[in-house]
Amino acid sequence: QVQLQESGSGQVKPSETLSLTCTVSGARLTSGRDSWDSWGWVRLPPGRGLEWIGYIYHSGTTYYNSSLASRVTMSAYASKNQFSLNLRSVTAADTAIYYCVRVDARNHDGFDIWGPGTPVTVSS
Amino acid sequence: DIDLTQSPSSLSASLGDRVTITCRATQGVAGYLNWYQVKPGQAPKLLIHGASVLQTGVPQRFSGGGSGAELSLTIDDLHLEDAATYYCQQTYSTRALTFGGGTKVEI
C-alpha cells in the first residue's frame, strides 16, 4: 500500500527558506501505474482552509499556485523515491501544517493518498 | 482561477439527520469536483471524486451530486464520527487547482 511521509524543518525564521521532503513507499515515483500519477503539496494554516501549493508530474513538469509561484520550487528524486518542496522568503503567513499528496490522474486528479502532515512554524 | 464558494460555512445537526453542503464554482468544472473530510489532528481524507464517485472504503451515507458549476455533498443518517470540516476541490483547471473555504459540521 502506498504511504507518504513528510520530513524537514519544523521551525523557520522569517525571510528564510522552508524545505520539506516527502518519501514515497509502496510505489515508484516515476514508473509503471504510477506514471499516471503526480505528486503534490497542500497546506492547512491555523484557523484557515486547505490551500493547494503545487504538484509535479512524473515527467518533472510542475504547476504551482499562482499566489505562491514566485517563491516555490518542487523537485522529484526518482532514485530516492522522494519529492521536495522549497518555499523561499517565508513569513508568519506561511505557518501551517504541510501535507504531501498523491494526485490520482485516473480518478479526476483526486488527492487520494496523504502524508500525516508536518507542522511548520515561521518565527524568529 | 476558478473560485469555489461553499455554503453554509458551518452547520449544526443531530444524529441521524441528513445534511447537504453546496459548492458553487465561478464556472463549470465538468464533474472534476472532489470532496474531502478533515478532522483535527488527522490528514484529510478523499471522500468523493468526479462529483459523485465514492472513494473506496467511504460509507455509502456519503453522496455527491450536481453538475456544471453547482455541486453538493450529502450525508445521510449523520453519525457522530462525521463531525469534521468538509472541503470541495476542483481539478478541472489542472494548472490552478482550488479548494472551497470549508464547511464545519457539528453534531
Side-chain angles (χ1 to χ4, degrees):
Chain A
Q1 114 215 25
V2 181
Q3 292 184 313
L4 307 179
Q5 180 66 58
E6 305 90 352
S7 59
S9 45
Q11 186 133 5
V12 187
K13 290 184 168 55
S15 80
E16 294 189 345
T17 297
L18 179 163
S19 296
L20 297 175
T21 297
C22 184
T23 300
V24 180
S25 58
R28 291 189 60 90
L29 211 60
T30 59
S31 65
R33 180 240 189 254
D34 313 302
S35 67
W36 286 97
D37 301 325
S38 53
W39 308 88
W41 294 92
V42 176
R43 69 182 183 181
L44 182 61
R48 302 187 63 183
L50 294 172
E51 181 177 29
W52 170 68
I53 299 172
Y55 60 88
I56 182 167
Y57 279 103
H58 63 92
S59 62
T61 301
T62 53
Y63 294 109
Y64 302 138
N65 186 320
S66 58
S67 67
L68 299 171
S70 63
R71 300 192 289 130
V72 171
T73 302
M74 292 183 187
S75 303
Y77 307 95
S79 62
K80 295 182 179 181
N81 229 34
Q82 295 176 332
F83 59 101
S84 67
L85 167 69
N86 277 357
L87 181 64
R88 297 175 292 279
S89 304
V90 298
T91 70
D94 295 309
T95 293
I97 300 174
Y98 285 75
Y99 298 95
C100 58
V101 299
R102 183 178 77 172
V103 183
D104 188 354
R106 293 186 176 187
N107 288 306
H108 303 92
D109 291 333
F111 295 179
D112 66 335
I113 309 281
W114 295 67
T118 188
V120 176
T121 301
V122 178
S123 172
S124 55
Chain B
D1 291 5
I2 298 175
D3 289 332
L4 301 178
T5 301
Q6 287 184 232
S7 59
S9 56
S10 66
L11 65 90
S12 181
S14 301
L15 292 175
D17 280 357
R18 182 186 203 195
V19 301
T20 297
I21 300 166
T22 298
C23 180
R24 289 187 176 85
T26 50
Q27 66 180 78
V29 295
Y32 278 79
L33 196 286
N34 309 315
W35 290 96
Y36 298 86
Q37 178 190 65
V38 182
K39 295 181 179 180
Q42 297 184 23
K45 177 183 177 182
L46 176 64
L47 298 176
I48 288 170
H49 63 86
S52 61
V53 181
L54 206 61
Q55 183 70 355
T56 304
V58 173
Q60 293 197 341
R61 63 179 182 273
F62 290 91
S63 63
S67 62
E70 186 156 333
L71 295 301
S72 62
L73 171 72
T74 297
I75 311 172
D76 285 309
D77 186 23
L78 205 60
H79 285 40
L80 206 55
E81 60 264 32
D82 299 334
T85 302
Y86 294 85
Y87 293 88
C88 58
Q89 176 206 36
Q90 66 80 21
T91 53
Y92 176 71
S93 178
T94 55
R95 299 186 181 197
L97 309 185
T98 48
F99 286 97
T103 296
K104 186 174 184 179
V105 174
E106 294 180 331
I107 301 171

